[in-house]
Amino acid sequence: MERVIPTRMGLRPTGDGGGRCRVPFPFVWALVVLASGALPASRLLAQQPNPETPSELSPGAPLQETAVELEFSDEGERLAYLQDGRPLEPAARPSTPADSADSVGTDRTGSRAEPLSEQSDELKAALLGSISAVPLLSEQRRARASGAGADAVLGGEAVFRKTTDSGNLLGKSISVRGVSSQQRTPITTDTRVRGERVGQVLASGSYWAPVRMDLDTMMNKIDSRLIDSLIIVKGPYSPRYGPGFSFVDIELLSTPRYQGGFQVHGTSSADYLTNGEQVYGRQTFFGGGADWGFRASYGHRTGNDYTDGDGVELPASYNSRDINMALGHDIGDYRQIEFNYLRLDQTGVEYPGLVFDTRYLVTDGYEVKYYDHNPLLSNFHTSEVWFNRTRFEGDTLGVGKNRQIPELRTILFSPSGVDGFGITDGDGSSLGYRSESIFGVPGLDHLAVGTDLILLRQNINDREALLPPNDNNFPLPKSESYDFGFYAERVTTLLDYVHLNTGARVDSIRTLSDGIADGFPPIFTPDELTQNFTTWTTYVHAQVDLTPHWFATGGFGYGQRPPTLTELYVQSAFIGSLQRGLTFLAGDHNLKPETLRQIDAGLSCQTDRFTGGANWYYAWIDDYITYDLLTPSAGADGLSAGAGFVNTNEATLTGVEAYGQVRATDHVSLFGVLSYTEGTDRTRNETSYLNDPTMDRSGEPGVPVEPLPGIPPLDSRVGVLLHDPSPSPLWGVEYSLRAVGRQSRVATTLEEIETPGFMTIDVRGYRRFGGGWLATGGIENVTDRFYREHLDYRSGLGVFRPGIGVYSGLELNY
């Protein structure tokens, strides 16, 4: 039948599309590698843990202790030539129409459960952040950091860097490269990995997915103070998280154990940032006994409008509260169960670059994990079950919203033409399980097999209330996705100096939507909207120890990911996605899954005084999901009338990442990090949203090749660290300069515009005192720089980053 896609400009007929998934030859090859490399039974018996020491295979507990020096070096801007050197005018602000103590025991799970003052020396030093935090992870967590360029961040940095959600922690840490952040509000951060966005990047732990991809993100549900560690896998180099291209593995703080009997401890903390009068407080109690533990935490954040470097206030106020409850129990000597509950309650959150603010947003998350250190058929077994649900309501009626985007009242329908408004609400959930058995020594020499099931549900209403009630909704109708996956992973060492990690995964995915929503005339039947996908992942990654200090890494990965429910079924909702910010999006239920082939190569060095390295990657993506601008915007600061999701036949992503740190003296260290990504649509004129070969995508003929939208520019950071040289440091100060290049590689047919480069300076420090006291403080954007990131929205008066802000914090551990 003829396909009709609704837009806010009316109904448009289109042709049919679609395609089939191909079974990759590399998948068959990987299965051969897995089968041929399986551990013999005699070796499994030899590596069986000693029954007298069951905690050797506790989840997250290191199998061997590794002493790590925190060292720094300065890489400089060695890759500046990758960007166009022509000058670009600084950012300009448009004018408005109106006016221009004692030891507390150990945590058997390896998490940071004890008070900050009682942590290991490595974790104390990690408060400042390390250029490479992977060596500080437990052996099992370290094994998950697979793939060239994989990074990790310890949750302890959140205290030092004054971070908000988990995405904000990734954006501020010096421990990661190739990860950029779109800061939509001070407490809402969207994380991009090597230019890849939600759908391509999965946040695992309890598989967090946004309900509406602009008003919430996959990681803003989790306060950074609740995190033990984050691992970033930059490529399809892990089979256990789902069908995707890159992954963020989130490990929440777990419950402690105390061999000396029942104990209770607490942490009280408070922070204040002057710019926006942002206040944060958290109270945590934790304790337990020899075979059980608990954690209870409450956090509260409030903030007002912040001021940019030009002295103008942006509407970005918020009120956010979260509760975290955890309970753990050891069942005998070998089994353990952990329960975690998380609730986030936000009200009055203003988004300066988007159509809607939220009246409220509520998330409830439940997670149960089960560990068996001596199962019947394998050496280690773990299972987890999760459920999380998010619902929200929002509107365009805020005073700050209409001051920031004054044209909203004329863009949105009203009989008078000058008082239009919109309202939105949504509901979404994630339910699933993961079960995995490991044969061998986890992280060192093992074969892992597992299955998982991921059930996603999502719906959005986007109403212009003054339109006729039978046709005033531009929704994402109730939609569901069922994903059943099976995976296998082989980790081994060859010839004592080649460490091999290979794996494979297959997923069977079914997506469906009823196509029905109140105030929306149905266009398709449920049978027409139902899709079935089979996706495959296979990879091989190796590390070669060239010398005791030099290491080479390389890998090849093949991965597929299905379209998201938004990409398939959204019906012209105002979802900020492109740089313009006010674009409404039209889905296409005939989208094909993306297929990625990626190669990575890296070289690293670690000595007593120096740690550094560089990584290069190149990825080919078939059927990359991008945008077709259906109608142009109304002027430079106007509304992009709409964009539709479309497959382009081939796109490429390539880039480099470099890092280094050197200890100049016992008190002084230097560090530097650099990231660059380049994305290209190589078949732009071969496909369009309407599947009409006579029509040019975005109405622009003669553009066969174009940069992909939403790719961040060259980003570098260098700094000096002054620190206490003692094994248990009492103080530290960091001076850092962030230099971001201009972004001139833009998708002009999607009305993306160039962004000038900028530099900002930050100063941070901490001081420990007796009795468990910790003081932190710093200055962000010391020079009060007026700038904006390339990913910031241009809607209305434009979103610019905060100017100078002074923060201070105090924490008491008892």
Side-chain angles (χ1 to χ4, degrees):
M1 73 177 272
E2 185 178 47
R3 185 162 59 89
V4 181
I5 295 296
T7 72
R8 292 181 185 256
M9 304 300 292
L11 300 181
R12 307 188 68 170
T14 70
D16 291 331
R20 296 180 180 176
C21 297
R22 299 177 293 277
V23 178
F25 174 78
F27 178 77
V28 179
W29 173 84
L31 289 180
V32 173
V33 173
L34 289 167
S36 63
L39 292 172
S42 60
R43 192 171 183 182
L44 289 176
L45 292 174
Q47 293 175 342
Q48 180 72 22
N50 186 344
E52 298 300 324
T53 57
S55 62
E56 285 182 356
L57 292 180
S58 296
L63 296 175
Q64 62 184 35
E65 295 296 328
T66 304
V68 179
E69 294 278 350
L70 296 178
E71 305 145 357
F72 295 80
S73 76
D74 184 353
E75 283 291 317
E77 296 183 6
R78 53 157 57 161
L79 296 175
Y81 67 90
L82 290 172
Q83 291 210 330
D84 192 338
R86 294 172 298 165
L88 186 66
E89 291 298 320
R93 174 180 297 284
S95 59
T96 68
D99 56 14
S100 261
D102 293 328
S103 175
V104 295
T106 59
D107 179 356
R108 288 183 57 181
T109 65
S111 298
R112 182 172 62 85
E114 62 271 32
L116 193 60
S117 60
E118 298 296 340
Q119 290 172 20
S120 66
D121 291 340
E122 289 86 352
L123 290 182
K124 285 182 177 179
L127 186 68
L128 294 170
S130 168
I131 205 75
S132 178
V134 173
L136 298 178
L137 298 173
S138 66
E139 192 68 42
Q140 290 186 42
R141 290 287 287 167
R142 200 181 315 166
R144 293 195 174 190
S146 60
D151 295 320
V153 177
L154 298 183
E157 281 194 57
V159 179
F160 176 68
R161 300 191 179 277
K162 196 204 67 62
T163 59
T164 54
D165 63 358
S166 53
N168 188 236
L169 174 60
L170 286 178
K172 288 186 176 182
S173 174
I174 64 173
S175 302
V176 294
R177 278 73 59 183
V179 177
S180 55
S181 299
Q182 183 187 57
Q183 195 79 26
R184 297 172 181 170
T185 76
I187 59 171
T188 308
T189 309
D190 185 35
T191 299
R192 316 285 177 90
V193 178
R194 290 180 171 178
E196 297 167 349
R197 62 185 187 276
V198 63
Q200 299 165 331
V201 181
L202 304 182
S204 189
S206 293
Y207 199 94
W208 299 93
V211 178
R212 178 177 171 129
M213 54 186 283
D214 56 351
L215 296 183
D216 70 325
T217 71
M218 60 184 178
M219 295 174 63
N220 80 304
K221 318 288 199 314
I222 305 174
D223 192 287
S224 57
R225 302 289 180 92
L226 302 177
I227 291 173
D228 175 75
S229 63
L230 295 164
I231 295 174
I232 303 91
V233 180
K234 306 172 194 173
Y237 295 121
S238 178
R240 61 175 45 86
Y241 302 116
F245 298 158
S246 295
F247 313 98
V248 181
D249 184 318
I250 304 172
E251 181 81 357
L252 297 177
L253 290 170
S254 59
T255 57
R257 303 291 187 271
Y258 301 95
Q259 300 303 326
F262 176 74
Q263 297 186 35
V264 176
H265 299 275
T267 299
S268 303
S269 61
D271 297 337
Y272 179 73
L273 174 64
T274 58
N275 195 345
E277 300 176 313
Q278 300 178 55
V279 180
Y280 172 66
R282 179 165 293 280
Q283 177 62 55
T284 302
F285 293 104
F286 53 93
D291 61 355
W292 72 283
F294 73 90
R295 180 182 305 277
S297 184
Y298 172 77
H300 198 145
R301 296 183 183 274
T302 62
N304 296 321
D305 299 350
Y306 70 76
T307 303
D308 66 21
D310 197 33
V312 175
E313 288 188 349
L314 277 84
S317 61
Y318 60 86
N319 197 336
S320 179
R321 302 157 293 276
D322 71 83
I323 298 173
N324 179 230
M325 307 287 290
L327 182 64
H329 179 59
D330 298 343
I331 307 171
D333 292 332
Y334 300 102
R335 295 168 183 83
Q336 181 179 349
I337 189 167
E338 293 274 336
F339 168 77
N340 216 304
Y341 168 67
L342 174 69
R343 179 179 176 88
L344 175 69
D345 188 353
Q346 296 180 343
T347 54
V349 181
E350 294 185 294
Y351 290 79
L354 298 174
V355 171
F356 295 102
D357 298 328
T358 54
R359 299 173 186 164
Y360 75 84
L361 182 146
V362 175
T363 296
D364 291 286
Y366 307 84
E367 176 186 82
V368 179
K369 292 186 176 182
Y370 171 76
Y371 306 96
D372 191 338
H373 314 302
N374 190 24
L376 179 63
L377 299 178
S378 64
N379 294 77
F380 179 72
H381 176 82
T382 180
S383 295
E384 60 182 303
V385 179
W386 70 82
F387 173 74
N388 57 68
R389 180 190 177 198
T390 298
R391 57 258 188 220
F392 69 86
E393 289 186 5
D395 58 45
T396 66
L397 299 174
V399 175
K401 174 66 63 188
N402 288 280
R403 182 182 73 241
Q404 178 70 13
I405 313 177
E407 62 268 30
L408 263 185
R409 288 168 291 188
T410 60
I411 291 171
L412 299 174
F413 176 80
S414 71
S416 69
V418 295
D419 60 354
F421 70 95
I423 56 177
T424 185
D425 62 80
D427 196 337
S429 64
S430 170
L431 171 67
Y433 82 88
R434 182 177 295 110
S435 180
E436 178 177 289
S437 295
I438 297 179
F439 303 85
V441 181
L444 295 179
D445 199 341
H446 76 244
L447 171 66
V449 293
T451 68
D452 55 34
L453 174 68
I454 303 168
L455 168 60
L456 299 179
R457 291 178 173 169
Q458 192 175 354
N459 74 276
I460 297 171
N461 293 303
D462 180 347
R463 302 176 185 273
E464 295 184 45
L466 300 180
L467 283 169
N470 64 338
D471 192 9
N472 67 355
N473 194 5
F474 304 88
L476 171 62
K478 290 182 179 179
S479 306
E480 298 180 355
S481 171
Y482 300 85
D483 179 354
F484 177 77
F486 171 80
Y487 63 89
E489 177 189 64
R490 178 75 171 97
V491 173
T492 190
T493 299
L494 306 176
L495 304 175
D496 295 329
Y497 59 86
V498 179
H499 311 282
L500 185 67
N501 184 335
T502 185
R505 178 184 178 93
V506 59
D507 288 85
S508 177
I509 304 157
R510 181 179 180 88
T511 65
L512 56 141
S513 175
D514 59 14
I516 300 172
D518 183 37
F520 172 71
I523 299 174
F524 303 106
T525 67
D527 288 343
E528 292 177 291
L529 296 176
T530 300
Q531 297 289 347
N532 295 284
F533 306 100
T534 300
T535 62
W536 307 84
T537 296
T538 181
Y539 69 92
V540 58
H541 173 260
Q543 175 182 306
V544 180
D545 301 339
L546 302 175
T547 73
H549 302 293
W550 286 90
F551 314 94
T553 57
F556 170 78
Y558 178 102
Q560 292 181 302
R561 72 100 179 175
T564 66
L565 294 175
T566 298
E567 292 166 340
L568 288 169
Y569 302 127
V570 70
Q571 303 291 340
S572 302
F574 274 122
I575 296 177
S577 181
L578 292 170
Q579 189 191 63
R580 287 294 181 190
L582 300 183
T583 310
F584 61 81
L585 299 179
D588 182 355
H589 64 270
N590 288 312
L591 286 173
K592 294 177 279 189
E594 296 180 337
T595 300
L596 173 140
R597 300 179 302 278
Q598 179 172 315
I599 55 176
D600 286 81
L603 185 66
S604 61
C605 174
Q606 183 170 338
T607 67
D608 291 341
R609 304 188 71 87
F610 174 77
T611 297
N615 299 286
W616 168 84
Y617 61 93
Y618 197 97
W620 300 263
I621 308 177
D622 296 337
D623 298 317
Y624 182 91
I625 298 175
T626 183
Y627 304 90
D628 185 351
L629 193 67
L630 302 180
T631 54
S633 67
D637 297 311
L639 173 73
S640 292
F645 290 107
V646 62
N647 290 113
T648 192
N649 292 339
E650 183 181 0
T652 58
L653 290 167
T654 184
V656 291
E657 298 151 7
Y659 62 98
Q661 56 186 31
V662 63
R663 189 177 62 202
T665 71
D666 290 341
H667 292 82
V668 180
S669 301
L670 309 173
F671 67 87
V673 295
L674 181 145
S675 304
Y676 177 77
T677 298
E678 183 177 293
T680 306
D681 184 346
R682 300 197 175 276
T683 54
R684 198 204 71 89
N685 62 353
E686 295 183 12
T687 57
S688 67
Y689 175 75
L690 297 178
N691 295 318
D692 185 345
T694 65
M695 298 187 65
D696 299 297
R697 194 192 302 170
S698 302
E700 295 284 348
V703 187
V705 177
E706 183 179 54
L708 291 174
I711 303 297
L714 179 74
D715 195 333
S716 64
R717 190 188 302 268
V718 296
V720 178
L721 179 66
L722 307 178
H723 55 90
D724 180 0
S726 65
S728 299
L730 296 177
W731 60 271
V733 179
E734 178 190 282
Y735 301 87
S736 66
L737 182 149
R738 180 178 175 228
V740 177
R742 60 171 293 192
Q743 181 57 290
S744 58
R745 300 192 80 255
V746 295
T748 55
T749 66
L750 295 174
E751 300 189 337
E752 189 177 32
I753 61 176
E754 298 182 4
T755 305
F758 60 87
M759 289 192 304
T760 59
I761 298 174
D762 299 319
V763 180
R764 309 179 190 278
Y766 78 89
R767 178 69 165 89
R768 300 183 189 279
F769 300 92
W773 289 94
L774 170 69
T776 58
I779 307 174
E780 298 181 325
N781 194 0
V782 172
T783 60
D784 203 19
R785 178 78 180 193
F786 177 53
Y787 72 100
R788 60 183 170 194
E789 306 275 1
H790 185 65
L791 298 179
D792 287 339
Y793 295 119
R794 282 9 182 212
S795 46
L797 305 182
V799 176
F800 294 85
R801 306 314 304 149
I804 187 172
V806 180
Y807 71 89
S808 59
L810 193 61
E811 182 172 281
L812 173 63
N813 301 278
Y814 45 91

